[in-house]
C-alpha cells in the first residue's frame, strides 16, 4: 500500500469517540461493590431460606446503599477526573432531569428522564452515568415529594441505566450510534420496569391478575425457579405491555429526535469541562 493510500485510509477511518471521564481502578471497584449491593437488595427474597407461608419484611439496613453513591462521586474526584466543572455539569443535568421527570410523572409509562440519562452516560462515561442516575432520581424525588422506601431502588436502577450507556462500544458514530442508543434504551426501559417490580413484588400479598388462574404472589421458602416463574408472569401481565412499553417508546423517540443535537452539545461541554493531564 502506498503512502497516499495509507493516508486516505487513515482519514476515512472513523475514530472512536473518547470517554470524557474514564474510570480508574478505584472508581471501578466502588461501582462493582455498589452494583453488587444493589443486586443483593433486589434479589435477596428469592434466595431467602424461610418457612412456607412466612411473611417476609424488607431489611431497612439496605438503605445504607445511599452512602455508596457518595463514595462513587468522591472516588472519581479523588482520581482527578471529576473536578468542579464536571460536578457543575452533573448538577445541571440532574436538575434538568428532575424537572423533566415531573412533566411526565410516569403517566402511562411516559418518562422524560431516561433519554438524557442515556446520552449523558454515553458522553461522560459509566462512572458519570452511574452518578447521574442516582442524583437525577434523588433530585426529582425531592422536587415531587416522592421520597419513600422505593427511592433507593429507583436510584440504583437508574444508575445502572446510565452506567450501561457509558459501557457501550465506542467505535460507533453517526446514525449507527443513534440506532445503538435507541436499542439500548428500549432494552434498559424494560429491564428497569422488571427490576422495579422485583423491588416490591415479594412484599405484596394476594396478587391475582385477571386472565390468570391462581395467585402470582411471592411464596417464602419456595424454590427460586418457581418464584421467578410467578414473578415473570406477573411482570408480563401487569407492566411489560403498558408502562414499560410506554417508557421504551418515549425514550427511543426522544433519542431519535433530540439525540444528535444533545450529543453534540454534551461533547462540546465535555471538551471544555474535562482537563486532560499533559
Amino acid at each position: 500500500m502506498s503512502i497516499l493510500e495509507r493516508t486516505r485510509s487513515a482519514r476515512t477511518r472513523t475514530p472512536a469517540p473518547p470517554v470524557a471521564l474514564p474510570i480508574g481502578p478505584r472508581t471501578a471497584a466502588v461501582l462493582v461493590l455498589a452494583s453488587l449491593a444493589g443486586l443483593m437488595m433486589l434479589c435477596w427474597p428469592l434466595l431467602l431460606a424461610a418457612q412456607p407461608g412466612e411473611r417476609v419484611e424488607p431489611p431497612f439496613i439496605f438503605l445504607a446503599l445511599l452512602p455508596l453513591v457518595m463514595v462513587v462521586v468522591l472516588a472519581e474526584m479523588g482520581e482527578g477526573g471529576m473536578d468542579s466543572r464536571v460536578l457543575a455539569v452533573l448538577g445541571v443535568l440532574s436538575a434538568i432531569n428532575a424537572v423533566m421527570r415531573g412533566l411526565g410523572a410516569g403517566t402511562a409509562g411516559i418518562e422524560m428522564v431516561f433519554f438524557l440519562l442515556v446520552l449523558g452516560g454515553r458522553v461522560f462515561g459509566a462512572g458519570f452515568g452511574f452518578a447521574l442516575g442516582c442524583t437525577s432520581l434523588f433530585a426529582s424525588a425531592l422536587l415531587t415529594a416522592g421520597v419513600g422506601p422505593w427511592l433507593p431502588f429507583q436510584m440504583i436502577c437508574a444508575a445502572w441505566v446510565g452506567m450501561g450507556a457509558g459501557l457501550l462500544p465506542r467505535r460507533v458514530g453517526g446514525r449507527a450510534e443513534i440506532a445503538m442508543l435507541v436499542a439500548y434504551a428500549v432494552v434498559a426501559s424494560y429491564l428497569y420496569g422488571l427490576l422495579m417490580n422485583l423491588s416490591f413484588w415479594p412484599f405484596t400479598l394476594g396478587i391475582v391478575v385477571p386472565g390468570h388462574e391462581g395467585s402470582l404472589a411471592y411464596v417464602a421458602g419456595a424454590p427460586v425457579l418457581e418464584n421467578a416463574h410467578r414473578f415473570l408472569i406477573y411482570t408480563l401481565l401487569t407492566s411489560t405491555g403498558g408502562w414499560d412499553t410506554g417508557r421504551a417508546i418515549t425514550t427511543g423517540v426522544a433519542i431519535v429526535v433530540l439525540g444528535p443535537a444533545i450529543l453534540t452539545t454534551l461533547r462540546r461541554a465535555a471538551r471544555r469541562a474535562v482537563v486532560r493531564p499533559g
Side-chain angles (χ1 to χ4, degrees):
M1 181 182 293
S2 65
I3 297 178
L4 182 59
E5 290 176 340
R6 290 178 182 177
T7 304
R8 290 176 177 175
S9 176
R11 289 178 178 176
T12 57
R13 202 176 295 154
T14 302
V19 179
L21 290 175
I23 297 179
R26 184 169 52 199
T27 303
V30 174
L31 287 174
V32 170
L33 290 176
S35 296
L36 289 177
L39 284 175
M40 184 173 62
M41 183 175 69
L42 287 164
C43 300
W44 69 269
L46 299 178
L47 307 176
L48 182 67
Q51 297 297 324
E54 182 180 347
R55 182 176 175 82
V56 177
E57 298 290 344
F60 292 99
I61 193 173
F62 280 139
L63 294 178
L65 175 68
L66 290 179
L68 289 177
V69 177
M70 298 306 300
V71 173
V72 173
V73 177
L74 292 175
E76 287 194 328
M77 292 177 63
E79 289 188 351
M82 186 175 284
D83 61 7
S84 59
R85 286 170 292 186
V86 179
L87 284 174
V89 174
L90 176 64
V92 170
L93 293 182
S94 300
I96 294 174
N97 258 345
V99 173
M100 293 182 65
R101 189 171 185 232
L103 297 177
T107 304
I110 298 175
E111 291 278 7
M112 298 301 295
V113 65
F114 287 95
F115 87 95
L116 189 57
L117 178 57
V118 170
L119 299 179
R122 171 64 175 172
V123 172
F124 287 92
F128 184 93
F130 188 96
L132 179 60
C134 293
T135 55
S136 294
L137 271 293
F138 184 72
S140 67
L142 295 178
L143 189 64
T144 60
V147 178
W150 53 84
L151 180 57
F153 299 102
Q154 292 178 334
M155 290 174 64
I156 189 64
C157 291
W160 286 333
V161 173
M163 183 174 67
L167 296 176
L168 292 174
R170 308 304 303 178
R171 283 191 183 278
V172 181
R175 295 181 178 178
E177 181 182 31
I178 297 299
M180 179 184 68
L181 292 177
V182 170
Y184 170 78
V186 170
V187 173
S189 296
Y190 283 107
L191 288 178
Y192 179 87
L194 184 143
L195 292 174
M196 286 306 302
N197 286 342
L198 184 59
S199 70
F200 65 82
W201 170 76
F203 316 112
T204 306
L205 301 177
I207 300 176
V208 178
V209 178
H212 184 272
E213 296 182 2
S215 175
L216 294 176
Y218 167 78
V219 178
V224 175
L225 292 179
E226 183 179 324
N227 271 326
H229 181 258
R230 290 195 189 93
F231 169 68
L232 290 177
I233 294 177
Y234 168 78
T235 297
L236 287 172
L237 294 179
T238 58
S239 68
T240 299
W243 296 86
D244 299 342
T245 299
R247 183 185 302 110
I249 293 175
T250 303
T251 307
V253 170
I255 291 177
V256 170
V257 175
L258 303 175
I262 293 181
L263 282 173
T264 301
T265 302
L266 290 179
R267 283 171 176 150
R268 186 180 300 117
R271 287 192 294 269
R272 295 179 179 178
V274 179
V275 178
R276 299 297 182 193

